[in-house]
Amino acid sequence: MQELANIFIKSIFIDNMVFAYFLGMCSYLAISKTVKTSVGMGLAVIFVLGITIPFNYLLEHYILKEGALVWISNHFIDVDLSFLSFIMFIAVIASIVQLVEMVIEKFSPALYSSLGIFLPLIAVNCAILGGSLFMQERGYSSITEATVFGLGSGVGWFLAIVGIAAIREKIRYSNVPPALRGLGITYIITGLMGIAFMSFMGIKL
Amino acid sequence: MSKDSLFAKKNMKLLSDPLDDNNPITVQVLGICSALAITVQLKPAVVMALSVLVVLSVANVVVSLMRHMIPSRIRIIVFLVVIAALVILVDQVLKAFVYDVSKELSVFVGLIITNCIICGRLEAFAMANPPGKAFLDGLGNSFGYGIILIIVAFFRELLGAGTLYGYPVLEKLGVYDLGYENNGMMILPPMALVTVGVLIWWQRARNEKLIEKN
């Protein structure tokens, strides 16, 4: 249990998707103009990360990894399909996003109208594919750990985008030098937020 | 389109526009994730820029050749499959020839798949233009991307580690004897953001038509 809590906290604060690895920056910069839309996007990311990472974990452990196919027959002990992981992961992500979109549209029109427009964007959000690739690289030992990692990374991304959106709403009333307006100042603020988040690095878990 | 018009002035604009006025990173805001993460040193940045060059120009040509056959409803999936196949090729080549750099780039080679520059150019350009122009557009945009990568990596490596492409420039120049110290901050992730921010500032101060209206 403590192990899971560690992974959760670590993936939110220390290995924050945005500040430590710059994942999902494109949507982070494009959709952070108002707090309302950024909350929608953030929730959608938590949701999709929480679903796709366990799926890709199963894929990795029962199909792609070296020796993963032994559950079919012992002849496959040497088979290593991990070079296929990029294409498999992205296919899983794209199809799950599509499925989730259809399911939400059918069962919860209210949720669909708030999350719906963000879901198609998420298939090409690098935070999602990055989550799966980090899961593969760090080799989590169980599907629960992988899921917790996914949810934690999602929450970290959510915090980052809501934070920057709140700051951008305020900064609209400030006198920013013309050449820095918009994109430039957002980069610099994100850098400063990243410095703040670096203070979590000292935490030993 | 005849062969010689491929190098007409209009087409040359496809090559030169993305370098400044329509730069993928600083103006179109595409493909930022990888640009920031791998610019600690010049070498990974150069390798990354070359990988994107290969993937983007080939993907642009392939999609442009198939543009009349791709149903528009499933085009994103088609793009992703084309890109993912190319990225796997690039990844295998990197692992075979420059293993240490490939280790350093870690997941970011895989993330070329979701690099929005590629999807964005396929969607905006390759779907509507013939292969020759699409190829030039791919080249131009990857140069625009590469140039930012290299500028950012140049400053971060020089100021952060005192080396360039692994060569200890500052030590050879004897700057350390004058009491200079490396700025370790430049190696940390947040400074990548600030460096790009300053770069955008400089570019827009020089090129005023890019300034955003608030």
Side-chain angles (χ1 to χ4, degrees), chain A residues 22 26 83 126 137 183 187 191, chain B residues 32-33 92 106 116 189-190 200 212:
Chain A
F22 313 109
C26 311
F83 65 93
C126 20
E137 198 181 79
L183 196 56
Y187 269 106
Chain B
I32 302 148
C33 328
Q92 299 290 321
S106 78
C116 354
I200 292 174
E212 286 173 50

Side-chain angles (χ1 to χ4, degrees), chain A residues 103-116:
Chain A
V103 170
I104 295 184
E105 193 177 8
K106 176 96 179 130
F107 291 104
S108 168
L111 186 62
Y112 182 74
S113 60
S114 60
L115 284 190

Side-chain angles (χ1 to χ4, degrees), chain A residues 16-19 22-33 38 41 45 125 156-165 167-168 186-187 189-191 193-194, chain B residues 29 32-33 36 193:
Chain A
N16 187 290
M17 282 272 183
V18 174
F19 300 125
F22 313 109
L23 294 181
M25 285 300 284
C26 311
S27 23
Y28 171 87
L29 290 170
I31 311 181
S32 61
K33 288 209 173 85
S38 68
M41 184 70 186
V45 166
N125 184 332
W157 201 86
F158 175 87
L159 278 183
I161 194 170
V162 174
I164 192 78
I167 296 177
R168 281 182 84 172
T186 312
Y187 269 106
I189 294 170
T190 311
M193 286 169 77
Chain B
V29 205
I32 302 148
C33 328
L36 297 167
L193 289 158

Side-chain angles (χ1 to χ4, degrees), chain A residues 41-84:
Chain A
M41 184 70 186
L43 289 177
V45 166
I46 299 180
F47 194 63
V48 174
L49 269 175
I51 296 177
T52 53
I53 290 192
F55 259 96
N56 282 335
Y57 181 86
L58 293 177
L59 201 66
E60 158 86 2
H61 279 258
Y62 291 100
I63 296 178
L64 297 173
K65 224 164 73 167
E66 188 174 4
L69 286 170
V70 279
W71 59 274
I72 299 178
S73 143
N74 269 331
H75 296 298
F76 294 126
I77 191 99
D78 293 328
V79 178
D80 181 3
L81 294 177
S82 51
F83 65 93
L84 282 177

Side-chain angles (χ1 to χ4, degrees), chain B residues 20 23 77 90 117 140 164 191:
Chain B
D20 186 12
N23 189 285
I77 305 260
V90 168
I117 292 184
L164 278 181
M191 285 315 282

